[in-house]
C-alpha cells in the first residue's frame, strides 16, 4: 500500500450544512419542525486508495470527502466542535483536520465528534469512523449507496446477542511469501433504549477472539461506565465475553458511552488489540416539556392590527430534540375574558410566538387578557405526547383614542376686584384613556375674552380639572365681567384614524365683585425741595389722596404714620403738611439730604380702607455751621531742625460749596502765636504748622488758629491746637523723658518716683526671703511631741446627750459649786466619798505661757505631772469620776462593788457561746484560771 501524499485532500468528516429538513407525506410536502443537531448519530467515511502513497496521513492534511449535516435552524449562533481523538481536530467550519501523523491506516480509526453552542448549554455528539476504501466492513447496516456513509444500528437482539470478533490477519497459501489483505471490521454502535425494565443484567453483545480455540482467553472492558465513573454500568463475562448492562439507562443523564474491549490470556498477556465500542442510549419520551416561566407577561397596544406580535413563550423538552420525543408544539387552550370574541390571539405552534388574530382590542373595555398556553411533545400529538401549561398575561397598553370632553359648555365664576391667585372657576373634564398618562393629561388654553391676561388655567394633577385663577388684579370700575373661551386637549396627539375632534371647548363667565378700595396718593412718594432752616408753621405741600371707588361718595381723613424727627403735621381733612420745628439738614434723621415721612389716608367705607403715602423732603444746604480744626492735639520737637511739621485740616457739617477750601491763619493776639509759630498752606483743605524759632522749651502750648470756610458769606472759627513740645532724638521722635516732661512732671518728681519703685521692690524681696527662712527653720528643728498629738489651739467638740425620761426636771444646783462646805465638814473623819472634793487648799499648777517656745513644752509637761502627783485634792486613778449628773432614783446598783477577782462559784462557760468577740473573756474567766 502506497504512502499518502502530504497536503492532498482526502476527506471531510464534518462539513456543516445549514438548512431545513423537508419531508413528504403522500403527494403533499410539509415543513417539519427544525431541531438543531447532527442529522446522523454514526458516520463511516472511506479514504480513497487513489490518493494514498503509503500508510501515513501527514500532519496538516485536510481530509476532504463526504460531509455530515448539522442543522442550526437559525437558533444557534455559533457551534464549536471537538474530536475525541487527539490526532484529529475540527475547524469552526466543520472540516476535519489531521493534527498528527497517522502511521497506520490499515485498521479503521473511530472517534467521537462533539458539538457545543457558545453558551455551553447544549451538547450534540456523533461518531465518525475513518476507514480505507476497498476494505471489507462487516456488518454493513443501513448502508447508503453513493455517499460513503453507514448508519448505525437501531436495534439489538438481546436473546441472541450480536457477535463482535477481534480482527485477524490470514496468511496466503502461495510460496512467494505474500500475505492476504487484513479484513477491517467496522463495529457499528450499540443502541440501548433508556428506561428498560430489565431483567438485569441484560446482555447486549458478545466479544470473541478467534484464538479462543487455541488458548484460554479472558475478556474485559474499560472506560466510563465500566471501570470509570459511572462505574459498573456495563459488565462483561471474562470467559464468554458477553457484555451486559446492569441497570436502566437515562439518556438525559448520559447519551452515549465509549468503551474499549480487551482480550488477554490467563497470564495477562494481550492477545488482541483493543477494540472500541460505542453505545448510544435510545431516547424514550419520558420528559414533559417545561416552560421557562410559569407566568409570562406581554403587552400589545389597543387597536392593533391582526398579526401584531405580542410575546413569545418557550418550553424545553429534555428528550432528544432530533426525534419526535423532543419536538414541542404550542397551542392556546383558553382566553379570558371572551371580549369581543373568544379567539383574539393565536400562537405559532413551532416557535411559541403569540400574536393578534382579530381587531377590536380596546383597553377601555378590557385592560388585560389571560391566555393558557399548552406545550406538547411528539410534535403536538395529544394521544402520545406529554403536555404542560403556562399562563400568558397580555396587558393592553393605552393609546390616545379618546379626546377629553368638558362636562359643560358654560362655566360660571366670580372674583373680588384686586384679588390675585384666587380660583375663579373649576372646569371639570372626562377622559377614558389611562389616568396620569400623556393620553389622559389635559392641557387648557384661553382662546378669547382675556386680552389683558388677567386669568390663567392650571391643571389639577390629581383630578385633571382646570382651575381658572387670577394672575393680574381686575378693577371693578373698569370691567365688571369677563367671558373667557376655553379649549382643552391632551398632552399626546390623538391617534390616527379616530373620527372625534382632538379638543373640547367651553365658555367661562366671570363676574367681578366691587370691594372698598383704599385711597391712592397720585404721587407716591411725593418729593418736596426746601432750604434748610425752614421755620415752624411753614406750609410745605398738600398731600391729598384719591378714592378709586368712583361710584361711591366717601370721605377721606389723613393722619401721620411716621415722622422720626417730629418736624411735620398734616391737616386731617385736606392733607396740608406744615412744619412744627426748624428743618436742619445736618440732623441725624437726614439720609443723603432727604427727610422721609409717611402718612395715612383712611376712607369711611365699610370696612374702612387705608392708603399709605410717603413724603420725601430734600433740604438744600446753607452755610450755617462753622469749620472746626482737626486735629485738636499735636506733638512737635523743641528744635525745629529735628522735628516734623504738623498737618492740620478742618471739618464742616455743611456740604459743598459751604465747606472747603479752608483758610488757616494765626491771630494777632496773643503775640506769641505769630512769634513762635508759622502756618503754610498745602492745598485747599490742608495746611502745615511748624516752629518759627529754632528752639522752644519743652512743654504744653495752646496755639490759636483761625479757620474760615468758603460759604457765602464765609464763616470763621478760632480753634485752639494743643501742641506738646518735647526733646527729640536724631530721627525726630520724642524721647521718653521728654514725653514725661511734657506731661507736666519735673526732673525731681521723676527721680522720686523711681526711688519709690526701687524701695517697693526691695521690701517684696525681703519678705520673700524671710518666709523661706522660717520654713527652713521649721523643717530642721522638729517638735518634742508628735504634731498630731499637739492639741494646742485645737477645739475638741464632743457629743452631748440628754438624760432620758428621768432627766426632764433639771436640778442645776447639783452642777454648781456649793457656797457652803458645812455638810462636808460635819462628816466624821475618814468617811468621805471618793468622788467628793476635799476641803483643803488646792495645789498650784504651773502657768503655761501664752506663746511658749517649742523647746519648753517638755519642761512644762514634767512640772504639771509633778504638781498632779503632789495634789491631795486629785482623785485616785481608779476612782469613779462623775462627769455629769443624770438625776436621782436610779435602779442600777453601784458599780464600785465589782471585783476583778473570781470567787470560783460563778460559772462563766456561757461566754464561749457569745462568739469570737468574747473568746478572751471566756479564756480568762472560764477555763483559763488554772493556767
Amino acid at each position: 500500500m502506497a504512502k499518502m501524499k502530504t497536503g492532498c485532500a482526502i476527506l471531510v468528516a464534518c462539513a456543516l450544512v445549514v438548512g431545513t429538513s423537508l419531508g413528504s407525506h403522500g403527494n403533499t410536502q410539509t415543513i417539519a419542525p427544525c431541531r438543531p443537531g447532527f442529522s446522523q448519530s454514526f458516520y463511516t467515511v472511506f479514504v480513497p486508495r487513489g490518493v494514498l502513497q503509503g500508510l501515513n496521513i501527514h500532519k496538516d492534511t485536510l481530509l476532504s470527502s463526504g460531509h455530515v449535516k448539522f442543522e442550526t435552524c437559525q437558533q444557534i449562533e455559533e457551534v464549536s466542535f471537538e474530536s475525541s481523538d487527539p490526532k484529529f481536530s475540527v475547524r469552526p467550519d466543520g472540516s476535519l483536520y489531521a493534527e498528527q501523523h497517522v502511521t497506520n491506516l490499515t485498521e479503521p480509526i473511530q472517534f467521537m465528534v462533539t458539538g457545543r453552542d457558545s453558551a455551553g448549554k447544549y451538547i450534540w455528539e456523533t461518531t465518525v469512523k475513518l476507514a480505507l476504501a476497498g476494505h471489507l466492513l462487516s456488518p454493513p447496516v443501513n448502508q447508503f449507496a453513493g455517499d460513503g456513509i453507514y448508519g448505525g444500528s437501531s436495534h439489538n437482539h438481546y436473546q441472541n446477542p450480536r457477535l463482535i470478533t477481534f480482527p485477524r490477519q490470514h496468511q496466503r497459501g502461495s510460496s512467494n511469501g505474500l500475505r492476504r489483505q487484513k479484513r477491517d471490521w467496522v463495529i457499528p454502535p450499540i443502541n440501548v433504549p433508556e428506561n428498560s425494565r430489565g431483567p438485569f443484567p441484560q446482555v447486549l453483545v458478545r466479544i470473541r477472539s478467534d484464538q479462543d480455540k487455541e488458548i484460554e482467553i479472558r475478556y474485559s472492558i474499560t472506560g466510563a461506565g465500566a471501570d470509570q465513573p459511572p462505574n459498573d454500568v456495563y459488565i462483561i463475562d471474562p470467559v464468554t465475553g458477553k457484555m451486559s448492562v446492569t441497570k436502566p439507562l437515562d439518556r438525559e443523564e448520559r447519551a452515549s458511552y465509549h468503551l474499549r474491549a480487551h482480550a488477554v490470556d490467563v497470564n495477562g498477556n494481550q492477545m488482541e488489540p483493543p477494540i472500541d465500542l460505542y453505545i448510544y442510549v435510545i431516547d424514550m419520551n419520558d420528559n414533559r416539556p417545561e416552560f421557562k416561566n410559569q407566568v409570562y407577561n406581554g403587552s400589545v397596544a389597543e387597536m392593533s392590527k391582526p398579526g401584531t406580535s405580542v410575546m413569545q413563550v418557550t418550553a424545553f423538552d429534555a428528550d432528544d430534540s432530533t426525534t419526535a420525543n423532543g419536538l414541542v408544539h404550542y397551542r392556546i387552550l383558553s382566553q379570558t375574558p371572551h371580549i369581543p370574541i373568544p379567539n383574539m390571539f393565536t400562537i405559532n405552534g413551532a416557535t411559541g410566538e403569540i400574536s393578534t388574530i382579530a381587531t377590536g382590542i380596546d383597553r377601555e373595555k378590557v385592560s388585560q387578557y389571560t391566555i393558557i398556553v399548552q406545550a406538547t411533545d411528539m410534535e403536538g400529538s395529544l394521544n402520545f405526547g406529554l403536555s404542560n401549561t403556562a399562563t400568558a398575561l397580555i396587558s393592553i397598553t393605552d393609546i390616545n383614542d379618546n379626546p377629553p370632553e368638558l362636562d359643560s359648555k358654560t362655566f360660571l365664576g366670580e372674583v373680588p376686584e384686586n384679588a390675585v391667585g384666587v380660583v375663579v372657576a373649576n372646569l371639570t373634564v372626562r377622559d377614558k384613556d389611562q389616568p396620569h398618562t400623556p393620553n389622559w393629561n389635559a392641557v387648557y388654553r384661553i382662546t378669547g375674552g382675556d386680552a389683558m391676561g388677567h386669568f390663567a388655567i392650571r391643571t389639577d394633577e390629581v383630578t385633571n380639572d382646570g382651575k381658572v385663577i387670577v394672575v393680574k388684579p381686575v378693577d371693578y370700575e373698569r370691567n365688571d365681567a369677563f367671558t373667557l373661551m376655553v379649549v382643552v386637549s391632551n398632552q399626546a396627539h390623538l391617534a390616527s384614524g379616530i373620527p372625534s375632534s382632538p379638543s373640547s371647548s367651553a365658555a367661562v363667565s366671570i363676574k367681578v365683585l366691587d370691594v372698598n378700595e383704599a385711597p391712592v396718593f397720585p404721587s407716591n412718594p411725593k418729593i418736596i425741595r426746601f432750604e434748610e432752616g425752614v421755620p415752624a408753621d411753614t406750609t410745605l405741600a398738600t398731600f391729598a389722596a384719591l378714592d378709586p371707588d368712583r361710584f361711591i361718595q366717601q370721605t377721606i381723613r389723613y393722619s401721620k404714620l411716621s415722622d422720626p424727627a417730629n418736624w411735620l403735621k398734616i391737616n386731617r381733612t385736606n392733607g396740608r403738611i406744615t412744619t412744627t420745628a426748624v428743618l436742619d439738614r445736618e440732623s441725624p434723621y437726614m439720609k443723603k439730604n432727604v427727610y422721609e415721612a409717611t402718612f395715612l389716608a383712611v376712607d369711611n367705607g365699610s370696612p374702612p380702607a387705608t392708603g399709605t403715602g410717603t413724603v420725601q423732603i430734600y433740604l438744600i444746604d446753607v452755610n450755617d455751621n462753622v469749620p472746626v480744626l482737626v486735629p485738636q492735639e499735636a506733638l512737635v520737637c523743641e528744635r525745629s531742625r529735628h522735628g516734623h511739621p504738623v498737618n492740620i485740616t478742618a471739618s464742616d457739617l455743611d456740604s459743598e460749596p459751604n465747606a472747603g477750601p479752608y483758610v488757616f491763619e494765626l491771630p494777632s493776639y496773643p503775640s506769641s502765636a505769630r512769634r513762635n509759630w508759622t502756618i503754610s498752606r498745602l492745598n485747599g483743605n490742608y495746611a502745615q504748622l511748624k516752629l518759627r524759632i529754632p528752639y522752644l522749651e519743652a512743654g504744653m502750648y495752646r496755639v490759636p488758629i483761625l479757620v474760615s470756610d468758603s460759604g457765602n458769606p464765609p464763616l470763621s472759627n478760632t480753634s485752639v491746637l494743643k501742641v506738646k513740645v518735647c526733646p527729640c532724638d536724631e530721627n525726630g521722635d520724642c524721647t521718653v523723658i521728654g514725653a514725661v516732661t511734657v506731661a507736666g512732671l519735673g526732673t525731681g518728681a521723676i527721680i522720686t518716683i523711681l526711688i519709690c519703685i526701687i524701695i517697693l521692690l526691695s521690701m517684696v524681696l525681703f519678705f520673700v526671703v524671710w518666709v523661706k527662712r522660717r520654713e527652713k527653720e521649721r523643717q530642721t528643728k522638729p517638735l518634742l511631741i508628735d504634731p498630731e498629738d499637739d492639741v494646742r489651739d485645737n477645739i475638741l467638740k464632743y457629743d452631748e446627750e440628754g438624760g432620758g425620761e428621768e432627766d426632764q426636771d433639771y436640778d442645776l444646783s447639783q452642777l454648781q459649786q456649793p457656797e457652803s462646805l458645812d455638810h462636808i465638814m460635819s462628816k466624821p473623819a475618814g468617811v468621805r466619798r471618793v468622788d467628793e472634793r476635799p476641803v483643803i487648799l488646792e495645789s498650784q499648777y504651773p502657768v503655761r505661757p501664752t506663746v511658749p517656745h517649742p523647746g519648753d513644752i517638755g519642761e512644762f509637761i514634767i512640772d504639771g505631772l509633778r504638781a498632779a502627783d503632789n495634789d491631795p485634792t486629785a482623785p485616785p486613778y481608779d476612782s469613779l469620776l462623775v462627769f455629769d449628773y443624770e438625776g436621782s432614783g436610779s435602779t442600777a446598783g453601784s458599780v464600785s462593788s465589782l471585783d476583778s477577782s473570781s470567787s470560783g462559784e460563778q460559772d462563766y462557760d456561757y461566754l464561749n457561746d457569745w462568739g469570737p468577740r468574747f473568746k478572751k473573756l471566756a479564756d480568762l474567766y472560764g477555763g483559763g484560771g488554772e493556767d
Side-chain angles (χ1 to χ4, degrees), residues 16-310:
L16 300 185
V17 178
V18 180
T20 303
S21 299
L22 300 179
S24 62
H25 180 70
N27 296 326
T28 305
Q29 291 186 350
T30 60
I31 299 177
C34 181
R35 292 293 175 180
F38 293 103
S39 61
Q40 296 288 344
S41 60
F42 183 83
Y43 300 91
T44 302
V45 182
F46 295 98
V47 178
R49 287 182 181 273
V51 297
L52 295 179
Q53 295 181 351
L55 297 178
N56 295 337
I57 300 177
H58 292 276
K59 183 180 178 182
D60 299 333
T61 299
L62 180 66
L63 307 180
S64 57
S65 175
H67 62 273
V68 174
K69 294 182 179 180
F70 186 90
E71 300 289 353
T72 62
C73 302
Q74 298 181 354
Q75 299 180 15
I76 309 301
E77 296 181 358
E78 182 179 354
V79 180
S80 60
F81 302 97
E82 296 178 359
S83 171
S84 62
D85 193 334
K87 298 177 182 178
F88 302 95
S89 63
V90 183
R91 290 180 175 178
D93 60 355
S95 302
L96 186 63
Y97 196 79
E99 291 284 354
Q100 302 177 8
H101 293 293
V102 181
T103 60
N104 188 6
L105 198 60
T106 58
E107 296 182 359
I109 299 176
Q110 186 170 298
F111 52 89
M112 184 176 293
V113 175
T114 304
R116 290 183 175 86
D117 64 340
S118 58
K121 186 175 182 182
Y122 302 103
I123 299 177
W124 301 272
E125 294 179 344
T126 187
T127 302
V128 176
K129 177 177 284 292
L130 181 63
L132 185 61
H135 276 215
L136 178 60
L137 296 179
S138 174
V141 182
N142 297 336
Q143 183 178 358
F144 296 89
D147 60 358
I149 300 176
Y150 285 106
S153 174
S154 61
H155 64 278
N156 292 289
H157 300 280
Y158 301 114
Q159 293 78 6
N160 298 312
R162 177 157 52 93
L163 179 62
I164 299 177
T165 305
F166 286 93
R168 292 291 298 164
Q169 288 186 343
H170 297 277
Q171 301 289 339
R172 273 185 160 183
S174 59
S175 60
N176 56 7
L178 295 178
R179 296 177 179 270
R180 292 180 55 190
Q181 182 179 337
K182 180 181 176 181
R183 297 185 300 166
D184 289 339
W185 291 92
V186 177
I187 309 299
I190 303 170
N191 297 327
V192 182
E194 65 173 335
N195 303 324
S196 176
R197 297 183 179 180
F200 297 101
Q202 192 174 59
V203 180
L204 300 179
V205 294
R206 180 187 173 195
I207 309 298
R208 178 181 174 274
S209 173
D210 54 5
Q211 300 186 48
D212 59 355
K213 296 178 180 180
E214 301 173 358
I215 59 177
E216 188 176 356
I217 302 297
R218 293 292 182 265
Y219 302 97
S220 64
I221 54 175
T222 59
D227 61 341
Q228 299 176 14
N231 300 81
D232 300 329
V233 177
Y234 300 96
I235 60 176
I236 189 171
D237 189 318
V239 178
T240 63
K242 292 182 179 181
M243 189 180 72
S244 305
V245 61
T246 62
K247 62 180 181 180
L249 303 180
D250 187 359
R251 193 203 67 85
E252 288 72 40
E253 182 178 345
R254 189 180 182 93
S256 63
Y257 297 86
H258 179 200
L259 304 178
R260 305 199 77 182
H262 306 271
V264 297
D265 60 11
V266 293
N267 296 323
N269 299 319
Q270 179 177 331
M271 303 305 297
E272 300 284 357
I275 60 174
D276 294 314
L277 302 177
Y278 292 90
I279 304 173
Y280 292 96
V281 183
I282 304 302
D283 182 48
M284 305 294 289
N285 190 20
D286 58 344
N287 291 279
R288 294 179 180 273
E290 295 291 339
F291 283 95
K292 186 177 181 180
N293 302 312
Q294 283 300 313
V295 178
Y296 290 84
N297 293 284
S299 62
V300 64
E302 59 178 335
M303 298 183 64
S304 294
K305 297 180 180 180
T308 303
S309 178
V310 179

Side-chain angles (χ1 to χ4, degrees), residues 411-426:
F411 294 90
L412 301 178
E414 59 182 21
V415 58
E417 63 174 335
N418 301 321
V420 177
V422 298
V423 178
V424 177
N426 186 40

